[in-house]
Amino acid sequence: MELLRRIGEGDPERIAELYAPQGDWKLDWPESEHGRAETPWIRHRSTRADAAAHFREIGENHVPGEAATEIERILVDGDDAVVLGEIRQTAKSTGRAYRARFALHLTVEDGLVTRHHVYEDSLAVAQAFQR
C-alpha cells in the first residue's frame, strides 16, 4: 500500500499527496484532549494541507529514529481498508517511550484517501506526554 510506504518514509508533503483535497479525518480521542499543547497532532482534520500538518506535527513531537510500526493485518473491502498494528514512539518532550495498538480505517476513492479514522490506545500516548 503506497500510503503506508510513504508514512514510513516520513515526508509529510509526499504523504499528503495521497489525500483528497477534502476528506473525513477523525481520531478516537476524548474531545477534551484534542489539540492540547502536548499532542497538537491529535485533532480532527479535513484537507490535504491538514494531512501534511498532521504528519509534520507527529515528527516534531517524537524522537527521530526511535519509532517503529508493526502492521499486523490489512483488510480490504471495496474502497475501504482497515490497517491493524502497533506503533512504538518516544515522546520528545518527556523522553518516555510508548507502544500503542491501533486500527486505521481508510476509504480510497479515485486513488485518493477520503476517509482517515484512527482508533488507538490514547491512554498510552497521553501518559508518554504527561509531565
Side-chain angles (χ1 to χ4, degrees), residues 2-130:
E2 179 65 13
L3 176 64
L4 299 178
R5 188 181 68 72
R6 289 189 190 190
I7 290 171
E9 291 173 353
D11 181 341
E13 301 307 321
R14 287 205 11 92
I15 297 166
E17 290 172 355
L18 297 176
Y19 284 81
Q22 291 289 317
D24 177 15
W25 185 298
K26 292 188 179 153
L27 295 149
D28 185 38
W29 271 60
E31 285 295 323
S32 63
E33 300 293 314
H34 281 216
R36 294 182 60 153
E38 310 84 58
T39 55
W41 68 94
I42 297 173
R43 59 187 171 88
H44 297 312
R45 314 277 181 152
S46 61
T47 68
R48 181 178 285 152
D50 286 342
H54 171 81
F55 291 104
R56 193 175 311 106
E57 290 165 1
I58 286 176
E60 291 168 352
N61 287 278
H62 290 88
V63 176
E66 293 188 25
T69 301
E70 180 182 336
I71 303 297
E72 296 169 2
R73 187 160 306 186
I74 300 173
L75 308 165
V76 178
D77 181 16
D79 291 341
D80 291 297
V82 175
V83 181
L84 303 173
E86 181 180 73
I87 57 170
R88 293 182 290 282
Q89 294 268 23
T90 300
K92 190 182 278 188
S93 61
T94 64
R96 286 192 203 107
Y98 68 92
R99 298 169 83 112
R101 304 212 33 85
F102 72 89
L104 170 60
H105 178 193
L106 300 166
T107 300
V108 178
E109 299 171 2
D110 298 323
L112 297 173
V113 176
T114 58
R115 177 191 341 226
H116 179 114
H117 289 192
V118 178
Y119 307 92
E120 69 181 347
D121 181 354
S122 56
L123 180 59
V125 178
Q127 287 176 333
F129 282 89
Q130 240 173 12

